[in-house]
Amino acid sequence: MIAKATLAAIVAVLAAPVSASAGWERACGSVVENYRDQGGREEILASKIIGHEVRCNAARKVARAYASRSHYSRTNRRGERIVRNRSPRAVGRFRCSDERLGTDVRSILCRDGSASVSFGWYDSSGYH
């Protein structure tokens, strides 16, 4: 049988934070943003969303907002719809940076102080 003092010491060690800067992080799944391009339905996938000191609901909102702002469409003089990719610098209070891993693949990191949201970004369109 474990003594009460020993049990209290074990609980104290397990409950103590690893370090002041370590924080906590959660895996928050993926979100999909749909849009139309060249007459067809396309998707931007924000995958492997990780919230560091951010709740999952807020992390998914940041990822969805980034995805919805990362493409824009216009119609040219011939009436053709053209969609272009862009990299938003901010989503709400989060400042974002991206690392391009290919023409349609990025690694995104959005920060607000010690809070951050990271995710993979993929555009399904073949027209970029």
Side-chain angles (χ1 to χ4, degrees), residues 9-66:
I10 292 170
V11 169
V13 168
L14 293 176
V18 176
S19 74
S21 63
W24 51 271
E25 109 180 352
R26 292 184 176 161
C28 301
S30 302
V31 296
V32 175
E33 177 71 20
N34 295 303
Y35 70 96
R36 296 190 57 79
D37 185 13
Q38 305 291 330
R41 185 176 147 256
E42 303 295 345
E43 297 177 337
I44 291 181
L45 172 65
S47 63
K48 297 181 182 175
I49 301 168
I50 297 175
H52 181 79
E53 296 187 12
V54 178
R55 295 186 185 272
C56 278
N57 196 22
R60 284 191 295 269
K61 283 183 180 179
V62 169
R64 183 177 299 282
Y66 186 95

Side-chain angles (χ1 to χ4, degrees), residues 87-107:
S87 300
R89 297 278 184 231
V91 176
R93 66 179 201 261
F94 286 84
R95 300 290 171 235
C96 300
S97 60
D98 71 329
E99 177 184 355
R100 292 186 181 262
L101 306 174
T103 57
D104 292 341
V105 181
R106 301 178 197 166
S107 175

